[in-house]
């Protein structure tokens, strides 16, 4: 029981939307307190725009085993395939 996906990589300026598809309340809270969704009820969404590059580790304060990562990287830093 965690966020899905647990890790994403985005460009600066990207808005990420979390959707609570569970039947209980959750939060999206950065471990460094950069952002905090407060309570997200079942079926609701919350958005945050990541302006600065960095690694953002977050968790649900009600269920601290639920963890995720947003990696914000400059476009030139993306790996090429």
């Amino acid at each position: 029981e965690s966020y899905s996906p647990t890790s994403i990589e985005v460009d600066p300026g990207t808005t990420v939307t979390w959707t609570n598809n569970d039947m209980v309340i959750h939060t999206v809270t950065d471990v460094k307190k950069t952002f905090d969704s407060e309570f997200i009820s079942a079926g609701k969404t919350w958005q945050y725009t990541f302006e600065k590059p960095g690694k953002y580790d977050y968790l649900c304060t009600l269920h601290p085993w639920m963890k995720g990562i947003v990696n914000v990287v400059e476009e030139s830093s993306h790996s090429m395939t």
Side-chain angles (χ1 to χ4, degrees):
E1 324 312 32
S2 191
Y3 300 99
S4 179
T6 55
S7 179
I8 63 169
E9 186 173 284
V10 300
D11 294 319
T14 300
T15 299
V16 176
T17 302
W18 286 265
T19 303
N20 184 353
N21 291 322
D22 204 350
M23 297 173 65
V24 298
I25 294 171
H26 292 290
T27 73
V28 177
T29 307
D30 178 45
V31 297
K32 295 179 182 173
K33 306 297 184 208
T34 304
F35 56 85
D36 182 6
S37 66
E38 300 186 357
F39 296 139
I40 306 171
S41 299
K44 300 295 183 184
T45 62
W46 182 75
Q47 296 182 323
Y48 184 78
T49 301
F50 291 87
E51 300 292 348
K52 297 180 182 177
K55 179 181 173 190
Y56 298 85
D57 294 292
Y58 63 90
L59 53 75
C60 174
T61 57
L62 302 170
H63 310 102
W65 60 88
M66 292 179 59
K67 297 178 182 180
I69 299 169
V70 176
N71 283 307
V72 182
V73 295
E74 295 291 343
E75 190 171 329
S76 61
S77 300
H78 288 285
S79 57
M80 304 296 280
T81 34

